[in-house]
């Protein structure tokens, strides 16, 4: 079976690797160069998008911000999963919030902003501090502001107005203000839904962010109440969208109550640990779902963690001397802060995983790999 992935980054790469044992052959569409390429070798094929759409059996995506003409063309083929509405929802926070409200899934109180008076109303309605985000084009902490006092309104509005002005009638740019939630931790749930509505949901994962970028994720034994809330939100949203594929939902844990931060209609960074911690990774289950194959198990086999490699061209060789530690590289050129790869770690118990993280912290400096010792402490709590 042939699959075309919209986007040619590391997620397409890992989908290709997961699909190969299932005899699924993946090509990728680079939306920047408009080339059809091999996601592992980078080989460019002498074929345009329309020809590729006609040739493949299934089309999917590795990211949300797909040009509308490309998305429309793929959807017209009847081969695209998870579907146009799901991709649009993941790429626009205003649509996302409407979906959460319609599905009765809790999120932070919010107000949409297109003019200065809306910002002033948001301050009065929601109070301070506010988290302000672009509804489109924001990721990894970009396109965000924190409003803590009234004397920031003029400067923040000036920057917001510049963003809004770049929109068009057909593609307007909007902004959303959210009440800042005093949360205990950030967690995510990732699951897969197939064409018949069957679901496989992974354990809730605890995530550590630094400057808005995910640096580390841990999957271990989780409170049943938290797991049930995460599963409930997944089932409601996936069913509402008639979703096919892997869907990720990021939450704030507010004293044992989960509130959605955002959703991602794709495989997700916080699920990379599934490559080692489960019988079927998120990448394999996404491929299974969109290709009409039975879903694999999402049960946690052993406590696992993922450490992002950000801006580093290599990792110390000592890392790979630790049992059950594997590295995954993305084949990218080095840039500061860029996601270059990740390290997966697993162990039979929480205590054993904590010990491995402590060992890794001795060779992975805190300034480049923040939060490793903190994660070890959490595993023991």
């Amino acid at each position: 079976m042939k699959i075309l992935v919209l986007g040619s980054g590391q997620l397409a790469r890992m989908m290709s690797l997961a699909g190969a044992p299932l005899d699924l052959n993946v090509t990728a569409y680079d939306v920047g160069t408009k080339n059809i390429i091999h996601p592992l070798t980078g080989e460019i094929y002498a074929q345009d998008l329309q020809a590729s759409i006609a040739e493949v059996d299934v089309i999917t995506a590795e990211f949300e911000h797909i040009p509308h003409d490309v998305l429309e063309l793929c959807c017209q083929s009847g081969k695209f999963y998870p579907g146009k509405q799901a991709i649009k929802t993941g790429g626009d926070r205003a649509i996302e919030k409407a979906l959460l409200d319609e599905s009765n899934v809790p999120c932070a109180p919010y107000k949409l902003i297109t003019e200065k008076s809306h910002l002033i109303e948001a301050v009065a309605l929601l109070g301070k501090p506010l988290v302000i985000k672009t509804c489109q084009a924001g990721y990894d902490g970009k396109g965000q502001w924190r409003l803590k006092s009234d004397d920031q309104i003029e400067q923040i509005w000036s920057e917001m107005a510049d963003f809004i002005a770049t929109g068009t009638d057909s593609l307007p740019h909007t902004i959303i203000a959210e009440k800042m939630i005093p949360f205990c931790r950030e967690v995510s749930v990732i699951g897969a839904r197939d064409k018949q509505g069957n679901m496989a949901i992974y354990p809730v994962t605890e995530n550590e962010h630094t400057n808005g970028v995910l640096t580390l994720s841990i999957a271990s034994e989780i409170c049943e109440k938290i797991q049930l809330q995460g599963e409930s939100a997944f089932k409601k949203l996936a069913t509402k969208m008639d979703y096919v594929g892997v869907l990720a939902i990021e939450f704030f844990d507010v004293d044992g109550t989960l509130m959605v931060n955002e959703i991602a209609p794709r495989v997700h960074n916080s699920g990379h640990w599934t490559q080692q911690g489960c019988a079927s990774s998120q990448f394999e289950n996404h491929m299974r779902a969109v290709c009409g194959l039975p879903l694999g198990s999402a049960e946690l086999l052993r406590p696992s963690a993922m450490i992002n490699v950000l801006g580093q061209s290599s990792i110390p060789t000592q890392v790979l001397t630790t049992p059950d530690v594997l590295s995954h590289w993305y084949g990218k050129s080095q840039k500061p802060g860029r996601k270059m790869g990740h390290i997966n770690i697993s162990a039979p118990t929480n205590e054993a995983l904590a010990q491995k993280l402590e060992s890794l912290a001795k060779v992975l400096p805190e300034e480049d790999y923040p939060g490793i010792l903190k994660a070890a402490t959490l595993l023991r709590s």
Side-chain angles (χ1 to χ4, degrees):
M1 186 175 286
K2 296 181 179 179
I3 299 93
L4 174 67
V5 178
L6 303 181
S8 58
Q10 66 263 27
L11 300 181
R13 179 186 181 96
M14 286 181 274
M15 281 188 243
S16 179
L17 289 168
L22 296 169
D23 197 26
L24 303 176
N25 299 302
V26 176
T27 53
Y29 177 66
D30 187 324
V31 297
T33 63
K34 299 183 179 181
N35 289 325
I36 305 295
I37 70 170
H38 192 289
L40 298 177
T41 66
E43 177 187 355
I44 299 173
Y45 296 104
Q47 188 178 54
D48 63 13
L49 178 60
Q50 278 193 305
S52 183
I53 290 172
E55 180 182 271
V56 300
D57 302 291
V58 173
I59 307 167
T60 190
E62 70 153 10
F63 74 128
E64 303 92 315
H65 303 293
I66 300 165
H68 282 211
D69 59 335
V70 172
L71 186 58
E72 196 63 43
L73 191 64
C74 291
C75 289
Q76 287 173 3
S77 71
K79 303 175 182 179
F80 181 71
Y81 299 99
K84 178 168 67 175
Q85 190 56 38
I87 295 297
K88 286 187 173 181
T89 300
D92 190 317
R93 288 188 173 97
I95 301 174
E96 176 184 273
K97 292 291 188 184
L99 172 68
L100 293 170
D101 290 344
E102 291 167 10
S103 304
N104 196 28
V105 174
C107 63
Y110 67 93
K111 182 173 178 57
L112 295 176
I113 297 173
T114 57
E115 57 187 60
K116 187 177 179 180
S117 64
H118 297 159
L119 176 59
I120 295 170
E121 289 170 13
V123 173
L125 177 67
L126 304 176
K128 299 184 290 287
L130 289 178
V131 180
I132 302 169
K133 306 174 182 178
T134 57
C135 287
Q136 307 85 12
Y139 65 96
D140 284 348
K142 298 177 174 63
Q144 297 189 16
W145 299 266
R146 299 287 187 273
L147 193 154
K148 299 178 181 178
S149 61
D150 289 347
D151 59 13
Q152 294 178 280
I153 291 176
E154 291 299 329
Q155 178 59 39
I156 288 177
W157 169 249
S158 175
E159 295 174 13
M160 290 165 60
D162 289 342
F163 172 77
I164 291 171
T166 61
T168 63
D169 290 340
S170 59
L171 293 172
H173 280 175
T174 53
I175 289 175
I176 193 166
E178 298 178 359
K179 183 179 180 65
M180 186 175 284
I181 302 298
F183 57 90
C184 306
R185 57 180 179 164
E186 295 177 82
V187 301
S188 60
V189 67
I190 292 171
R193 182 179 184 272
D194 68 15
K195 297 174 183 179
Q196 290 74 45
N198 301 307
M199 301 184 198
I201 304 174
Y202 294 95
V204 169
T205 304
E206 185 162 354
N207 303 313
E208 184 73 26
H209 289 80
T210 304
N211 299 322
V213 180
L214 181 69
T215 50
L216 186 145
S217 293
I218 300 176
S220 60
E221 295 177 9
I222 195 78
C223 166
E224 184 179 10
K225 176 186 173 184
I226 294 293
Q227 183 67 31
L228 290 175
Q229 288 181 70
E231 290 184 3
S232 174
F234 179 88
K235 291 173 183 177
K236 287 179 180 179
L237 295 173
T239 301
K240 184 74 173 179
M241 291 187 286
D242 194 21
Y243 196 91
V244 176
V246 162
L247 172 71
I249 310 172
E250 296 183 340
F251 300 91
F252 297 130
D253 179 354
V254 186
D255 297 324
T257 297
L258 296 187
M259 299 182 70
V260 173
N261 177 27
E262 61 185 27
I263 67 175
R266 53 175 170 80
V267 290
H268 192 261
N269 198 175
S270 68
H272 290 356
W273 64 268
T274 62
Q275 292 171 306
Q276 250 170 265
C278 299
S280 296
S281 73
Q282 63 164 342
F283 303 103
E284 180 177 333
N285 262 335
H286 183 75
M287 302 303 283
R288 284 172 175 248
V290 301
C291 293
L293 300 174
L295 296 177
S297 172
E299 181 183 355
L300 181 70
L301 296 178
R302 50 190 179 171
S304 300
M306 183 280 302
I307 300 170
N308 261 337
V309 179
L310 302 173
Q312 306 295 312
S313 60
S314 63
I315 57 174
T317 55
Q318 300 97 306
V319 169
L320 298 180
T321 64
T322 306
D324 297 317
V325 174
L326 297 175
S327 64
H328 299 259
W329 291 93
Y330 306 155
K332 294 181 177 179
S333 57
Q334 184 182 14
K335 291 182 182 178
R338 192 177 200 184
K339 292 177 182 176
M340 302 294 292
H342 66 270
I343 302 165
N344 280 340
I345 311 103
S346 45
T349 64
N350 284 2
E351 175 61 29
L353 183 58
Q355 290 176 359
K356 287 186 180 182
L357 289 171
E358 288 172 343
S359 176
L360 290 174
K362 295 175 182 178
V363 295
L364 296 174
E366 174 72 17
E367 59 268 26
D368 296 324
Y369 303 91
I372 297 177
L373 287 176
K374 178 182 175 181
T377 301
L378 290 172
L379 282 164
R380 291 194 169 101
S381 61

